[in-house]
Amino acid sequence: MWKITIGVLLCALLAGCGLKVEHPAEELVTEVEMPAGERFTPGDEVTVRAVGFEAADEIWFDIAWTDGTEDFAPNGTARGLRGTVTGRTDTSISFLVPGHYPPATVSVLLFRNGVFQTLGTIRTDDGVRHEISLHTLSETPGGGTIVARYPMYGSADLRDEEFPTDLTLECVVGRFGPGTACGIADGQLVELDLVTRQTEIQGEGCLLTGAVSESTVAGLFVRDDRLCLSGGSLPRAWQLPEGVTVDRIVRQPFAFAFNALLLAVRNDDGTLSPLVLPLSGTRALLGPAVESKTLLPYWMMKPATDNPSQWERVGGYAVLHDDLTWFQPLDPTTLELAPTLGEADLLVEGRVLSMTQCMLPAEAGDADPQPAVRIGVLTDTDGRHEVWVYDPQRASGSLVLGDVDLFAVRGIFFAR
């Protein structure tokens, strides 16, 4: 829905600037040839041929559908969306088919010097992600990344698609609803459009990413020795504790719990410590040292202590103990981790290399829906890599991908 809102605002701005949106009296291009009788998948490249294209020409879209889904009404429109042009000559223009909408009829508009000309229409397939999917990140020999998509409880045989990019991506976190994800490449915040299979640079100097809600992924940037949050409802900034420098912060997605961001730092003696950034404050807080090779933040939904009928977002850190990873709850007051095996939220065999989380939507007709959290982990057990999806409330897990499929995988994330 956020893309529809943007489209409406763009239309209002265009009207306010006095741009002509009607068919021009003199056509910008002539002898237009649109692809005929085809139905396109979002992200496909389409070429329109005509006489008279110019170097600065743009493509815009008006989208209309009659078969809504989820947040989309049965009949709806999205007008004034700027397209991605991939090539131009004086006799052709190529662009990417828009996504994130139900199956639709798309009017393709040529825009030049404040004037629009309708070139024609195309039909598009469904561009809405309906199910939460598991995605893997694999490094290519040339230093790029391949993003592959699987059903949440699928297998290698059910791999749906691959999305290659020349960027070396890390710290990727998925959104739920928009069909996008965010990650980092060479210190740049990158948005991945999982529907149209495109990437876009969002900002420089990004240190980490993390989800602050189901649909919002934010970046943590370094600005004048402070950590600054961008992408949430309000920008925030924190001063690091004395003795803690940015280079000691572990490069992994942060978690949002206790109304704070949970990170980790490396100490001089080889131990790790929680680093907590409270949204209500301006100073980061450093927790006690933990002897472990990994310290990965996570979040959970639990009944509130003062009102069990309400659910609150709490969290902790996954800690490696020999060949077992404990998910140890964090005390938000002392910043200490629950010390015993019996207090762990979850136990996972092996070392967790990458972790992702999501909350399943409530079942239709459920009168008393309870949050259902799922935790996906990429593990290393004696050199054997596997991906498991766990239900922490039942302390049960399902093997999704085995070692044979994961020789190049270095990260995972959920998205829809």
Side-chain angles (χ1 to χ4, degrees), residues 8-330:
V8 173
L9 291 174
L10 284 173
C11 285
L13 289 172
L14 291 173
C17 293
L19 298 177
K20 301 175 183 179
V21 297
E22 72 277 3
H23 195 287
E26 181 179 349
E27 294 181 325
L28 303 176
V29 294
T30 59
E31 301 180 31
V32 178
E33 295 181 19
M34 292 287 296
E38 294 185 59
R39 194 178 186 97
F40 295 97
T41 299
D44 284 351
E45 185 178 70
V46 172
T47 298
V48 178
R49 304 192 182 281
V51 176
F53 286 116
E54 296 184 0
D57 285 349
E58 297 179 2
I59 292 293
W60 289 60
F61 304 117
D62 285 346
I63 301 175
W65 62 88
T66 58
D67 184 16
T69 176
E70 298 171 349
D71 293 334
F72 291 91
N75 298 284
T77 60
R79 300 176 63 85
L81 300 178
R82 188 176 184 176
T84 299
V85 175
T86 56
R88 301 180 186 84
T89 70
D90 57 352
T91 58
S92 69
I93 190 166
S94 300
F95 57 87
L96 300 181
V97 175
H100 308 283
Y101 299 95
T105 299
V106 178
S107 296
V108 180
L109 312 176
L110 178 66
F111 178 67
R112 180 192 301 166
N113 297 328
V115 176
F116 285 91
Q117 176 185 342
T118 300
L119 300 178
T121 62
I122 59 174
R123 291 284 297 166
T124 64
D125 288 328
D126 195 355
V128 180
R129 289 288 175 87
H130 301 276
E131 303 291 339
I132 296 174
S133 298
L134 170 72
H135 298 75
T136 60
L137 300 167
S138 301
E139 187 173 358
T140 65
T145 305
I146 291 179
V147 181
R149 180 161 71 104
Y150 304 82
M152 189 171 179
Y153 292 100
S155 68
D157 296 334
L158 299 175
R159 182 166 57 192
D160 182 66
E161 64 184 28
E162 291 188 346
F163 167 18
T165 172
D166 292 335
L167 300 173
T168 302
L169 292 168
E170 60 180 351
C171 206
V172 178
V173 179
R175 294 190 179 106
F176 299 90
T180 61
C182 283
I184 300 173
D186 294 327
Q188 302 176 110
L189 180 65
V190 180
E191 181 179 79
L192 292 74
D193 190 321
L194 302 171
V195 176
T196 63
R197 303 178 295 283
Q198 298 298 305
T199 59
E200 181 179 352
I201 304 299
Q202 299 286 320
E204 301 281 347
C206 189
L207 183 71
L208 302 177
T209 57
V212 295
S213 73
E214 286 294 285
S215 60
T216 304
V217 174
L220 266 180
F221 292 80
V222 181
R223 300 287 187 266
D224 300 324
D225 295 326
R226 297 172 69 87
L227 295 181
C228 302
L229 181 69
S230 175
S233 58
L234 290 174
R236 312 275 180 171
W238 296 267
Q239 187 71 46
L240 289 173
E242 185 177 353
V244 176
T245 55
V246 169
D247 61 293
R248 294 189 180 185
I249 297 176
V250 182
R251 303 303 194 265
Q252 61 193 15
F254 62 78
F256 178 67
F258 305 113
N259 202 35
L261 309 184
L262 307 186
L263 291 72
V265 297
R266 298 189 184 279
N267 301 315
D268 287 337
D269 59 1
T271 60
L272 298 165
S273 292
L275 182 67
V276 178
L277 281 53
L279 295 190
S280 58
T282 58
R283 297 192 66 87
L285 307 175
L286 187 65
V290 178
E291 293 188 6
S292 175
K293 294 181 180 179
T294 56
L295 194 65
L296 294 102
Y298 70 93
W299 56 269
M300 295 281 293
M301 299 298 295
K302 292 185 177 181
T305 54
D306 57 346
N307 185 359
S309 65
Q310 299 293 320
W311 293 80
E312 62 181 358
R313 190 158 170 152
V314 299
Y317 288 82
V319 181
L320 182 64
H321 295 268
D322 296 325
D323 59 352
L324 198 65
T325 298
W326 303 9
F327 283 64
Q328 299 175 236
L330 176 74

